């Protein structure tokens, strides 16, 4: 069982699948990035996961479809239709149309995701992609805006991330609607039944944060029989890719592998983890955290190919004593 966001999450899951080709793997995916654009429901992290595991992802961008075209976007732009800052490729749009139609017909997101995955993973797939919740929840970011009456402005995370490239300082991160959410069907059952729980090196604020904030999920992980292993997406004092360093300070977490490890915390001191992996250049952090009571190992964490991910996964499994 794996908690994950989009790009980093899907690279990680590919490695876990490589390590355990016969294992049943449930992936619980963040949905707080989801957004309605041009009338279509878009679920960026679910789609990145699905395309990546189904070999349909663009290998350079690491999100969206391969062999993508942009004629629909061009046409919308020519009409002057906003927003134009969120790229929706022609092939990708087909996914959003199907999802929107099925949801409008009353199907749940979990069922729609399963239906889409039927194409990408095949009917016999041992990997199940589950949305964290069926309920609407949105990541919003608060920034300074001298022109707004309050001096501040709140925008959807996608607008902050994609349109503004995380350039304005984030003052706050809000999860709109999170208190009213509950875990999607299968999520808490999957956590309880797991023999290993993995926290992907996804963004701790906007990818893993929302999953853990769905009422019931954190408690289910703390109550689970399985050991919990986390992997740092921060190497040195920066994320491997992306802009996670722009948001960690907002939740009071130091931008370092040690900072994120302390944020997730050891199970015995109210946290989640039985073990934490940091990159081999962060050996100092491993020593410090282990001394503080969080078993931590430094090992190469670059997920350049699934075999590299499988190698550090084996180190982590050894650390937390995965049961056969
Ligand atoms: P998003 O939802 O598409 O933004 O992606 P995620 O939240 O799932 O993953 C983004 C995080 O993955 C970033 O903060 C990166 O630091 C991390 N990441 C990406 N590639 C690697 C890698 O090769 N190794 C490690 N350790 N982390 C990575
Ligand atoms: Ca995301």
């Amino acid at each position: 069982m794996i908690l994950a966001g989009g790009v980093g999450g899907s690279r990680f899951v590919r490695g876990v699948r490589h390590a355990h080709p016969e294992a049943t793997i449930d992936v619980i995916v963040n949905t707080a990035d989801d957004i309605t654009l041009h009338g279509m429901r878009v679920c960026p992290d679910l789609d990145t996961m699905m395309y990546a595991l189904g070999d349909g992802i663009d290998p350079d961008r690491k999100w969206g479809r391969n062999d993508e075209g942009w004629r629909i976007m061009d046409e919308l732009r020519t009409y002057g239709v906003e927003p134009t800052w969120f790229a929706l490729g022609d092939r990708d749009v087909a996914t959003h149309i199907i999802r929107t139609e099925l949801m409008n017909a009353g199907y749940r997101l979990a069922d729609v995701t399963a239906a889409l995955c039927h194409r990408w993973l095949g009917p016999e797939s041992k990997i199940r992609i589950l949305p964290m919740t069926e309920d609407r929840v949105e990541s919003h970011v608060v920034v300074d805006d001298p022109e707004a009456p309050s001096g501040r402005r709140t925008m959807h995370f996608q607008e902050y991330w994609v349109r503004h490239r995380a350039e304005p300082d984030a003052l706050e991160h809000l999860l709109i609607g999170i208190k009213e959410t509950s875990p999607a069907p299968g999520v808490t059952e999957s956590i309880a039944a797991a023999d290993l729980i993995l926290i992907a090196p996804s963004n701790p604020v906007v990818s893993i944060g929302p999953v853990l904030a769905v009422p019931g999920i954190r408690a289910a992980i703390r109550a689970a029989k399985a050991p919990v292993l986390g992997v740092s997406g921060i190497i040195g004092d920066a994320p491997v890719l992306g802009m996670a360093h722009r948001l960690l300070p907002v939740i009071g977490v130091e931008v370092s592998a040690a900072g994120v490890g302390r944020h997730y915390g050891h199970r015995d001191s109210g946290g989640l983890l039985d073990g934490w992996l940091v990159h081999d250049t962060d050996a100092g952090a491993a020593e410090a955290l282990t001394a503080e009571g969080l078993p931590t190992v430094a090992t190469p964490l670059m997920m350049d190919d699934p075999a590299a991910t499988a190698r550090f996964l084996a180190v982590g499994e050894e650390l937390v004593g995965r049961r056969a």
Side-chain angles (χ1 to χ4, degrees):
M1 210 281 313
I2 307 172
L3 309 189
V7 173
S10 60
R11 295 180 88 192
F12 182 66
V13 177
R14 286 178 65 137
V16 179
R17 177 175 65 180
H18 183 86
H20 301 291
E22 296 305 320
T24 302
I25 304 171
D26 287 345
V27 189
I28 299 174
V29 175
N30 170 45
T31 57
D33 291 1
D34 297 5
I35 189 166
T36 299
L37 293 166
H38 310 295
M40 297 179 293
R41 194 64 182 156
V42 179
C43 301
D45 288 0
L46 283 171
D47 288 344
T48 300
M49 188 62 68
M50 184 170 83
Y51 296 155
L53 295 176
D55 291 327
I57 198 108
D58 184 283
D60 302 319
R61 274 182 282 122
K62 299 188 174 63
W63 56 269
R65 290 284 282 111
N66 53 9
D67 300 322
E68 189 55 288
W70 306 95
R71 301 188 66 174
I72 296 175
M73 279 307 285
D74 288 344
E75 205 66 4
L76 287 168
R77 203 173 282 117
T78 308
Y79 275 114
V81 175
E82 292 291 339
T84 49
W85 47 263
F86 196 93
L88 293 173
D90 301 342
R91 305 184 88 187
D92 194 27
V93 161
T95 302
H96 310 318
I97 291 174
I98 295 166
R99 173 183 295 119
T100 306
E101 282 202 337
L102 289 173
M103 293 189 76
N104 287 345
Y107 287 96
R108 300 179 305 187
L109 181 60
D111 298 324
V112 175
T113 304
L116 292 167
C117 284
H118 195 270
R119 167 183 174 193
W120 291 104
L121 303 178
E124 305 297 327
S125 174
K126 295 201 169 71
I127 299 199
R128 218 167 37 134
I129 300 178
L130 302 170
M132 66 186 197
T133 182
E134 289 291 331
D135 303 307
R136 182 163 171 183
V137 49
E138 285 189 6
S139 263
H140 283 216
V141 175
V142 183
V143 300
D144 273 324
D145 182 355
E147 279 162 32
S150 65
R152 290 175 147 210
R153 195 156 76 83
T154 303
M155 63 184 89
H156 192 289
F157 164 71
Q158 297 294 357
E159 186 175 355
Y160 177 73
W161 207 245
V162 179
R163 183 182 194 180
H164 298 291
R165 311 226 157 265
E167 275 158 17
D169 283 337
L171 307 175
E172 246 183 290
H173 170 242
L174 306 171
L175 285 168
I176 310 295
I178 193 79
K179 288 204 178 70
E180 287 75 43
T181 63
S182 56
V187 167
T188 49
E189 293 83 348
S190 166
I191 294 169
D195 61 356
L196 177 65
I197 297 175
L198 298 166
I199 301 181
S202 294
N203 188 314
V205 185
V206 287
S207 293
I208 302 298
V211 181
L212 294 174
V214 173
I217 291 191
R218 193 185 167 88
I221 295 174
R222 279 187 47 79
K225 297 183 299 294
V228 181
L229 173 70
V231 179
S232 180
I234 306 287
I235 290 180
D237 57 4
V240 178
L241 49 93
M243 303 170 286
H245 58 292
R246 299 292 292 146
L247 288 172
L248 280 165
V250 179
I251 60 162
V253 175
E254 184 189 274
V255 185
S256 70
V260 178
R262 289 188 190 108
H263 167 63
Y264 291 139
H266 189 263
R267 197 196 273 272
D268 289 348
S269 39
L272 297 166
L273 300 172
D274 295 291
W276 180 236
L277 292 183
V278 301
H279 192 54
D280 55 359
T281 52
D282 289 317
E287 216 171 291
L289 290 175
T290 303
E292 290 169 28
L294 173 61
T296 303
V297 168
T299 187
L301 291 188
M302 296 304 293
M303 302 188 286
D304 296 327
D305 57 72
T309 307
R311 279 194 290 277
F312 71 69
L313 180 65
V315 174
E317 289 179 0
E318 174 88 30
L319 176 68
V320 298
R322 177 180 192 257
R323 288 164 297 140

